[in-house]
Amino acid sequence: MNGGDAYVGMEVQYIRRHHKHETRDNQCTSAMFKHIRAPVHLVWSLVRSFDQPQRYKPFVSRCTMRGDDLGIGSVREVNVKSGLPATTSMERLELLDDDKHILGIRIVDGDHRLRNYSSIITVHPEVIDGRPGTLVIESFVVDVPDGNTEDETCYFIEALIRCNLKALADVSERMAVQDRTEPINR
């Protein structure tokens, strides 16, 4: 499976069901997906670790939680590695559903130009080459900063998400090899 036409319908169905963003004037939105050769439980264990995004996000150097709670409403301060136009981001956990594998985050502050940014990431089981796999979809909505176009803003954020999804796949697939997941009998 490599995202052929037969599978695009599945992604579209998941996006319509779980990735609804209220958009206003001067905002852009997009959704990206990645097929990962690792079972859902491994991928979800990384995605749902709101307090440890650096486990797979390559641009995060450190994460500090505000308070002890890891539930909805929790806030984390993320330190960004140099090279990006930011050093910190304050993010609130808006949605966490362990049964449906849905996580939603809103950026509430930071020294960057992402205003009114929120994202949803969903994790779905699938079979890839006879083995347990995972389809991950991440969508976002954000204000278009002054001096930028909608296309420029979406392109920048999509590039970051692509890097994060690739890193998520790399880490998950390494974990899956160590876990030695057995083929699914059809």
Side-chain angles (χ1 to χ4, degrees):
M1 248 183 343
N2 56 11
D5 292 338
Y7 299 103
V8 172
M10 187 173 61
E11 289 97 6
V12 169
Q13 288 175 17
Y14 288 135
I15 290 168
R16 284 185 184 143
R17 187 176 312 139
H18 302 293
H19 296 263
K20 295 177 181 147
H21 294 281
E22 298 286 326
T23 56
R24 300 187 308 258
D25 288 343
N26 203 40
Q27 286 190 318
C28 69
T29 185
S30 185
M32 317 224 19
F33 64 88
K34 179 84 174 159
H35 297 277
I36 299 177
R37 295 174 180 279
V40 166
H41 74 276
L42 290 180
V43 177
W44 181 243
S45 73
L46 293 167
V47 170
R48 80 156 329 272
S49 296
F50 182 71
D51 59 333
Q52 298 176 13
Q54 68 275 21
R55 288 178 66 194
Y56 76 91
K57 291 187 175 188
F59 302 113
V60 175
S61 61
R62 192 173 72 128
C63 177
T64 307
M65 293 300 297
R66 301 282 185 229
D68 296 331
D69 184 30
L70 283 177
I72 293 174
S74 304
V75 175
R76 67 185 181 193
E77 180 177 348
V78 173
N79 293 90
V80 179
K81 290 183 180 176
S82 64
L84 288 178
T87 57
T88 62
S89 182
M90 296 287 283
E91 303 169 354
R92 183 174 54 235
L93 183 62
E94 297 279 306
L95 175 63
L96 178 63
D97 188 324
D98 281 313
D99 295 328
K100 294 181 182 172
H101 301 120
I102 305 171
L103 182 108
I105 295 171
R106 175 175 299 283
I107 294 179
V108 294
D109 199 9
D111 64 350
H112 49 71
R113 298 179 67 204
L114 301 179
R115 299 291 171 245
N116 294 312
Y117 179 92
S118 65
S119 69
I120 297 171
I121 188 166
T122 58
V123 177
H124 310 275
E126 66 178 357
V127 176
I128 301 174
D129 297 332
R131 295 187 179 274
T134 303
L135 167 63
V136 179
I137 302 171
E138 185 165 355
S139 63
F140 70 89
V141 63
V142 67
D143 290 356
V144 175
D146 290 339
N148 287 87
T149 67
E150 186 175 319
D151 286 345
E152 290 167 337
T153 304
C154 273
Y155 180 81
F156 173 74
I157 295 170
E158 287 170 352
L160 291 176
I161 290 173
R162 259 192 298 283
C163 287
N164 286 340
L165 290 176
K166 180 175 182 337
L168 177 61
D170 292 345
V171 172
S172 299
E173 289 169 359
R174 274 196 305 275
M175 288 171 63
V177 167
Q178 293 169 352
D179 197 37
R180 292 191 180 92
T181 305
E182 295 300 316
I184 295 173
N185 295 325
R186 288 192 164 204

